[in-house]
Amino acid sequence: GAVVSQHPSRVICKSGTSVKIECRSLDFQATTMFWYRQFPKKSLMLMATSNEGSKATYEQGVEKDKFLINHASLTLSTLTVTSAHPEDSSFYICSARDWGAGSYNEQFFGPGTRLTVL
Amino acid sequence: AQSVTQLDSQVPVFEEAPVELRCNYSSSVSVYLFWYVQYPNQGLQLLLKYLSGSTLVESINGFEAEFNKSQTSFHLRKPSVHISDTAEYFCAVSESFSGTYKYIFGTGTRLKVLA
């Protein structure tokens, strides 16, 4: 149980285009999802917390207009990198919390999406 | 937790030798502790966790970690490592921020098992 998927696993795009990454909880309802960014050989940096049906809460220093997050259903959150530039190239990982299991303090992670902007 | 510290960025160890990966955190409230493993170009896999109860927790592949509240530590140990244990290991603390539990990650320790 508690499986989280991400799509696509890898994406290459041209500078100036927008890219959408999907995060799905496959076997549970996730009222809260998190988006992280990981630079090469670095730790995970929390970008934003996404609650179903409401606006995402962004961490300090993260541009909300650059990284659009939508959490329209209990099983799907999307991250859209708008007008992507090479410096946005990174590994993006989502996670979700399974409220149904009462594990309010544990997150389940997706496999990540490698974004490369040319 | 205000911070999670993994002092060792890299740990080389020979196969079948024991290993300890250190994790310390700073917090004045109750926290929940996790160790995750990450293989190249993959997401995070939960290794083990401490939520409550016994302070010694074990994983199915031979790793164990002990929660030490007085020393604010959650070190990861394995008595005999395998080549396949080569990976990046992250310690994380889950703590409430204005009612939402968020993770704070350590900087990671790269375990390299040598033949």
Side-chain angles (χ1 to χ4, degrees), chain A residues 10 32 34 36 38 41-44 46 49 57 59 91 93 97 104-107 109-112 114, chain B residues 32 34 36 38 41-46 49 51 88 90 94 99-103 105-108 110:
Chain A
R10 186 181 295 269
T32 304
F34 303 86
Y36 294 85
Q38 186 179 30
K41 299 184 179 181
K42 297 290 185 183
S43 187
L44 280 75
L46 178 65
T49 302
T57 302
E59 295 298 305
F91 195 53
I93 303 176
R97 215 158 42 203
Y104 53 88
N105 47 28
E106 181 177 354
Q107 297 175 28
F109 288 84
R114 172 78 58 194
Chain B
Y32 306 94
F34 305 82
Y36 289 88
Q38 184 179 37
N41 295 311
Q42 294 186 27
L44 299 182
Q45 298 177 31
L46 177 67
K49 61 186 178 185
L51 302 180
E88 188 85 22
F90 290 98
S94 179
T100 297
Y101 276 85
K102 296 182 181 180
Y103 275 17
F105 281 94
T107 49
R110 183 170 298 274

Side-chain angles (χ1 to χ4, degrees), chain B residues 60-114:
Chain B
I60 58 174
N61 55 357
F63 283 95
E64 66 177 30
E66 186 162 19
F67 169 53
N68 188 318
K69 187 174 182 179
S70 62
Q71 297 185 6
T72 59
S73 68
F74 191 54
H75 301 331
L76 180 70
R77 295 187 292 263
K78 188 171 185 179
S80 177
V81 295
H82 302 289
I83 294 289
S84 59
D85 292 325
T86 295
E88 188 85 22
Y89 292 80
F90 290 98
C91 179
V93 167
S94 179
E95 187 177 322
S96 177
F97 293 88
S98 301
T100 297
Y101 276 85
K102 296 182 181 180
Y103 275 17
I104 299 174
F105 281 94
T107 49
T109 297
R110 183 170 298 274
L111 174 64
K112 185 170 178 60
V113 181
L114 309 169

Side-chain angles (χ1 to χ4, degrees), chain A residues 40-55:
Chain A
K41 299 184 179 181
K42 297 290 185 183
S43 187
L44 280 75
M45 179 192 79
L46 178 65
M47 300 174 66
T49 302
S50 167
N51 290 299
E52 186 265 338
S54 63
K55 290 183 178 180

